Amino acid sequence: MGIESKFIWMDGRLTTYDQAVVPFLTSALHYGIAVFEGIRCYATDNGPAIFRLREHMTRLVESAKILGFRSLPFGVDELCQASVELVRANGFSSCYIRPLIYLSSPKLNLSLDDGEARVGIACWEWGNIYGDEVLNKGVRANISSYTRHHPNISMTKAKISGNYVNSFLAKAESERLGFEEAIMLDPQGYVAECTGENLFVVRGGQIFTTPLAAILEGITRDALIQLAADLGYSVSERMMGRDMLYTADEVFVCGTAAEVVAVHEIDFRSIGDGKTGPITTQIQTAFHDAVRGRHPRSPGWLTYVNL
Ligand code: PMP
């Protein structure tokens, strides 16, 4: 399973994978001035369906606004339509979709208004980011030595490409130390999020997650809050120190690429009984049903590609 596909959508039309290239002297490549999304399309009984497409494209356009683009060549409706067209053209039954809005400038300086926004959307077949085996087993994580973004240094509500240098630093450190994921603290020392996932804690039958101020407002996070409430759990936002993770009954992380995955060990301390816990399993199951069109929430969340 590589990242290849027959078609990539570039600036308003489908082009072949090989033709979807940008010049070496593109500002986005040199300075990280781009915004992106990660979206999943799942196989369902009614063919491929894209999960919360409109919410993802709205966040993409909002990320571009936060970064400072004054105008975009395409709006949310056109981007949603383009994604559907792209998945259909590639013929995938399930895939990951990656839209990117990037700065193309003839000057390669640091002036945003000297350039213009260009847009591409790719898709490819991609299983769980940690590997499918991990879905049951969970991951081992450490508290990163790198701090998550300060909200007045990098804009935490935007998926700005340059922001992900921080994620790469943390993830490389964790992986080289033998962990699968990094948990990052905010500049005050409270738990923020992971390199590309939001985080939940279960204690005494209640579910807690970190406040929104310094994290990306995950679309999976929002879905899980709704699914957990449907299951009768109270979910509240709470500032948490790392010690609250060590003594939790369950910890799980979520994101488009990671879906819902337990963290069974943090900093060499096993979490709960060191396995995916019962509440995590319940929420994981509800999420898997929802994205595959088998849950009461599915109709509101899925865009069917072939209907
Ligand atoms: N935090 C960060 C830093 C992320 O990159 C992501 C992935 N987009 C998430 C959280 C989870 O967001 P979502 O559920 O919308 O994919």
Side-chain angles (χ1 to χ4, degrees):
M1 241 190 245
I3 55 171
E4 293 80 16
S5 60
K6 275 190 242 149
F7 300 107
I8 292 183
W9 186 95
M10 295 287 278
D11 296 311
R13 65 184 187 89
L14 292 176
T15 178
T16 64
Y17 180 86
D18 289 336
Q19 283 171 344
V21 290
V22 294
F24 173 65
L25 291 181
T26 297
S27 297
L29 185 61
H30 295 253
Y31 308 121
I33 305 303
V35 294
F36 68 96
E37 268 305 317
I39 310 171
R40 273 195 192 273
C41 175
Y42 287 91
T44 75
D45 292 342
N46 294 313
I50 306 176
F51 183 62
R52 306 195 77 180
L53 174 60
R54 197 166 184 86
E55 289 92 327
H56 278 284
M57 287 309 185
T58 301
R59 187 172 67 183
L60 179 70
V61 167
E62 287 175 357
S63 290
K65 182 177 183 182
I66 292 170
L67 182 54
F69 282 116
R70 291 178 198 265
S71 66
L72 296 177
F74 303 99
V76 170
D77 288 339
E78 289 159 302
L79 294 167
C80 290
Q81 192 47 44
S83 306
V84 168
E85 228 177 87
L86 178 72
V87 174
R88 207 183 283 146
N90 279 303
F92 292 137
S93 52
S94 65
C95 60
Y96 179 85
I97 304 169
R98 166 53 57 84
L100 180 89
I101 300 178
Y102 65 98
L103 177 66
S104 170
S105 170
K107 296 197 178 157
L108 211 74
N109 56 19
L110 300 186
S111 300
L112 190 63
D113 293 330
D114 282 342
E116 59 179 15
R118 297 274 174 82
V119 189
I121 310 175
C123 67
W124 64 91
E125 290 179 300
W126 194 19
N128 187 276
I129 192 173
Y130 301 115
D132 290 332
E133 186 197 321
V134 163
L135 271 183
N136 306 320
K137 208 167 135 237
V139 293
R140 291 175 67 242
N142 69 329
I143 305 291
S144 181
S145 74
Y146 294 95
T147 299
R148 196 62 181 152
H149 299 295
H150 183 289
N152 202 35
I153 297 177
S154 289
M155 305 294 101
T156 59
K157 292 290 162 293
K159 280 183 75 75
I160 297 170
S161 298
N163 284 359
Y164 283 79
V165 172
N166 179 254
S167 292
F168 266 81
L169 289 168
K171 184 107 179 178
E173 177 187 63
S174 291
E175 287 182 340
R176 288 172 186 178
L177 286 169
F179 298 98
E180 277 118 6
E181 190 50 75
I183 296 170
M184 306 192 70
L185 306 182
D186 71 16
Q188 280 71 46
Y190 294 102
V191 176
E193 59 186 336
C194 297
T195 55
E197 299 81 25
N198 295 124
L199 182 139
F200 286 82
V201 169
V202 179
R203 257 174 101 108
Q206 286 183 293
I207 304 176
F208 301 97
T209 191
T210 59
L212 286 176
I215 61 167
L216 184 80
E217 204 168 338
I219 291 167
T220 318
R221 174 188 185 276
D222 175 71
L224 298 194
I225 290 172
Q226 296 184 51
L227 293 171
D230 292 347
L231 289 164
Y233 293 109
S234 107
V235 185
S236 44
E237 291 182 356
R238 176 165 169 178
M239 310 270 276
M240 293 181 265
R242 62 198 286 177
D243 44 4
M244 189 167 156
L245 305 186
Y246 295 161
T247 57
D249 300 327
E250 302 176 37
V251 174
F252 58 94
V253 297
C254 72
T256 298
E259 302 173 295
V260 185
V261 175
V263 183
H264 68 82
E265 189 185 309
I266 299 172
D267 289 348
F268 303 102
R269 291 152 175 91
S270 102
I271 305 303
D273 58 9
K275 297 199 290 261
T276 299
I279 294 181
T280 305
T281 303
Q282 253 187 307
I283 291 175
Q284 221 175 24
T285 305
F287 178 77
H288 284 223
D289 287 347
V291 298
R292 287 175 179 78
R294 298 185 207 128
H295 189 280
R297 295 256 179 206
S298 303
W301 284 346
L302 296 180
T303 301
Y304 289 93
V305 168
N306 293 327
L307 293 187

mmCIF file of all heavy atoms in Angstrom, residues 10 81 88 137 143 157 167 175 177 190 199 220 251 304:
data_model
loop_
_atom_site.group_PDB
_atom_site.id
_atom_site.type_symbol
_atom_site.label_atom_id
_atom_site.label_comp_id
_atom_site.label_asym_id
_atom_site.label_seq_id
_atom_site.Cartn_x
_atom_site.Cartn_y
_atom_site.Cartn_z
ATOM 1 N N MET A 10 -5.728 18.918 -8.940
ATOM 2 C CA MET A 10 -4.848 20.076 -8.779
ATOM 3 C C MET A 10 -5.519 21.308 -9.389
ATOM 4 O O MET A 10 -5.829 21.317 -10.593
ATOM 5 C CB MET A 10 -3.509 19.866 -9.510
ATOM 6 C CG MET A 10 -2.649 18.734 -8.964
ATOM 7 S SD MET A 10 -1.873 19.090 -7.381
ATOM 8 C CE MET A 10 -0.431 20.038 -7.895
ATOM 9 N N GLN A 81 -16.979 18.782 -3.278
ATOM 10 C CA GLN A 81 -17.328 18.164 -4.551
ATOM 11 C C GLN A 81 -16.089 17.545 -5.209
ATOM 12 O O GLN A 81 -16.128 16.429 -5.727
ATOM 13 C CB GLN A 81 -17.969 19.226 -5.471
ATOM 14 C CG GLN A 81 -18.633 18.683 -6.717
ATOM 15 C CD GLN A 81 -19.544 17.487 -6.438
ATOM 16 O OE1 GLN A 81 -20.324 17.500 -5.470
ATOM 17 N NE2 GLN A 81 -19.424 16.432 -7.238
ATOM 18 N N ARG A 88 -14.044 8.900 -6.458
ATOM 19 C CA ARG A 88 -14.771 8.144 -7.492
ATOM 20 C C ARG A 88 -13.825 7.825 -8.669
ATOM 21 O O ARG A 88 -13.746 6.694 -9.130
ATOM 22 C CB ARG A 88 -15.935 8.993 -7.978
ATOM 23 C CG ARG A 88 -17.094 8.190 -8.502
ATOM 24 C CD ARG A 88 -18.180 9.104 -9.045
ATOM 25 N NE ARG A 88 -19.005 9.731 -8.038
ATOM 26 C CZ ARG A 88 -19.522 10.958 -8.148
ATOM 27 N NH1 ARG A 88 -19.276 11.706 -9.203
ATOM 28 N NH2 ARG A 88 -20.290 11.440 -7.198
ATOM 29 N N LYS A 137 -4.184 -3.825 20.546
ATOM 30 C CA LYS A 137 -3.160 -3.872 21.584
ATOM 31 C C LYS A 137 -2.942 -2.518 22.263
ATOM 32 O O LYS A 137 -2.643 -2.448 23.451
ATOM 33 C CB LYS A 137 -1.866 -4.338 20.907
ATOM 34 C CG LYS A 137 -0.930 -5.049 21.808
ATOM 35 C CD LYS A 137 0.164 -5.749 21.014
ATOM 36 C CE LYS A 137 1.481 -5.477 21.675
ATOM 37 N NZ LYS A 137 2.483 -4.856 20.826
ATOM 38 N N ILE A 143 6.115 10.985 27.649
ATOM 39 C CA ILE A 143 5.895 12.431 27.666
ATOM 40 C C ILE A 143 7.094 13.040 26.954
ATOM 41 O O ILE A 143 8.242 12.820 27.339
ATOM 42 C CB ILE A 143 5.785 12.980 29.109
ATOM 43 C CG1 ILE A 143 4.690 12.249 29.897
ATOM 44 C CG2 ILE A 143 5.563 14.489 29.078
ATOM 45 C CD1 ILE A 143 3.267 12.503 29.468
ATOM 46 N N LYS A 157 -5.157 26.243 16.319
ATOM 47 C CA LYS A 157 -6.443 25.851 15.731
ATOM 48 C C LYS A 157 -6.306 25.576 14.231
ATOM 49 O O LYS A 157 -7.289 25.249 13.565
ATOM 50 C CB LYS A 157 -7.487 26.949 15.926
ATOM 51 C CG LYS A 157 -7.891 27.141 17.360
ATOM 52 C CD LYS A 157 -8.698 25.961 17.872
ATOM 53 C CE LYS A 157 -8.729 25.954 19.381
ATOM 54 N NZ LYS A 157 -7.426 25.687 20.026
ATOM 55 N N SER A 167 5.720 18.368 15.716
ATOM 56 C CA SER A 167 5.276 16.965 15.787
ATOM 57 C C SER A 167 6.376 16.014 15.329
ATOM 58 O O SER A 167 6.582 14.951 15.919
ATOM 59 C CB SER A 167 4.042 16.753 14.903
ATOM 60 O OG SER A 167 2.930 17.430 15.430
ATOM 61 N N GLU A 175 10.009 7.643 18.863
ATOM 62 C CA GLU A 175 10.251 6.397 18.131
ATOM 63 C C GLU A 175 11.683 5.910 18.346
ATOM 64 O O GLU A 175 11.921 4.719 18.499
ATOM 65 C CB GLU A 175 9.945 6.588 16.644
ATOM 66 C CG GLU A 175 8.439 6.669 16.398
ATOM 67 C CD GLU A 175 8.056 6.808 14.931
ATOM 68 O OE1 GLU A 175 8.912 7.212 14.110
ATOM 69 O OE2 GLU A 175 6.906 6.537 14.604
ATOM 70 N N LEU A 177 13.411 6.335 20.925
ATOM 71 C CA LEU A 177 13.494 5.813 22.294
ATOM 72 C C LEU A 177 12.738 4.493 22.434
ATOM 73 O O LEU A 177 12.735 3.888 23.502
ATOM 74 C CB LEU A 177 12.909 6.835 23.283
ATOM 75 C CG LEU A 177 13.773 8.070 23.553
ATOM 76 C CD1 LEU A 177 12.979 9.121 24.329
ATOM 77 C CD2 LEU A 177 15.036 7.706 24.322
ATOM 78 N N TYR A 190 0.779 21.417 31.305
ATOM 79 C CA TYR A 190 -0.398 20.538 31.329
ATOM 80 C C TYR A 190 -0.457 19.714 30.046
ATOM 81 O O TYR A 190 0.043 20.141 28.996
ATOM 82 C CB TYR A 190 -1.686 21.381 31.459
ATOM 83 C CG TYR A 190 -1.769 22.085 32.785
ATOM 84 C CD1 TYR A 190 -1.470 23.448 32.886
ATOM 85 C CD2 TYR A 190 -2.114 21.386 33.944
ATOM 86 C CE1 TYR A 190 -1.520 24.095 34.117
ATOM 87 C CE2 TYR A 190 -2.159 22.022 35.167
ATOM 88 C CZ TYR A 190 -1.862 23.378 35.260
ATOM 89 O OH TYR A 190 -1.902 24.002 36.478
ATOM 90 N N LEU A 199 -6.348 13.547 23.079
ATOM 91 C CA LEU A 199 -6.183 12.547 24.135
ATOM 92 C C LEU A 199 -7.356 12.556 25.122
ATOM 93 O O LEU A 199 -7.885 13.614 25.464
ATOM 94 C CB LEU A 199 -4.867 12.857 24.855
ATOM 95 C CG LEU A 199 -4.430 11.933 25.965
ATOM 96 C CD1 LEU A 199 -2.930 11.679 25.881
ATOM 97 C CD2 LEU A 199 -4.769 12.521 27.332
ATOM 98 N N THR A 220 -12.424 14.027 15.123
ATOM 99 C CA THR A 220 -12.655 12.727 15.772
ATOM 100 C C THR A 220 -12.976 12.953 17.245
ATOM 101 O O THR A 220 -13.892 12.326 17.792
ATOM 102 C CB THR A 220 -11.414 11.822 15.638
ATOM 103 O OG1 THR A 220 -10.883 11.941 14.315
ATOM 104 C CG2 THR A 220 -11.746 10.370 15.923
ATOM 105 N N VAL A 251 -6.406 5.324 29.085
ATOM 106 C CA VAL A 251 -6.069 6.503 28.275
ATOM 107 C C VAL A 251 -6.230 6.079 26.823
ATOM 108 O O VAL A 251 -5.833 4.962 26.458
ATOM 109 C CB VAL A 251 -4.609 6.976 28.527
ATOM 110 C CG1 VAL A 251 -4.224 8.102 27.582
ATOM 111 C CG2 VAL A 251 -4.411 7.423 29.977
ATOM 112 N N TYR A 304 -21.707 9.785 0.934
ATOM 113 C CA TYR A 304 -21.514 8.601 0.094
ATOM 114 C C TYR A 304 -21.040 9.035 -1.293
ATOM 115 O O TYR A 304 -21.665 9.900 -1.926
ATOM 116 C CB TYR A 304 -22.822 7.793 0.017
ATOM 117 C CG TYR A 304 -23.117 7.111 1.339
ATOM 118 C CD1 TYR A 304 -23.922 7.737 2.295
ATOM 119 C CD2 TYR A 304 -22.547 5.885 1.648
ATOM 120 C CE1 TYR A 304 -24.156 7.114 3.530
ATOM 121 C CE2 TYR A 304 -22.790 5.258 2.870
ATOM 122 C CZ TYR A 304 -23.592 5.882 3.794
ATOM 123 O OH TYR A 304 -23.823 5.286 5.011
#
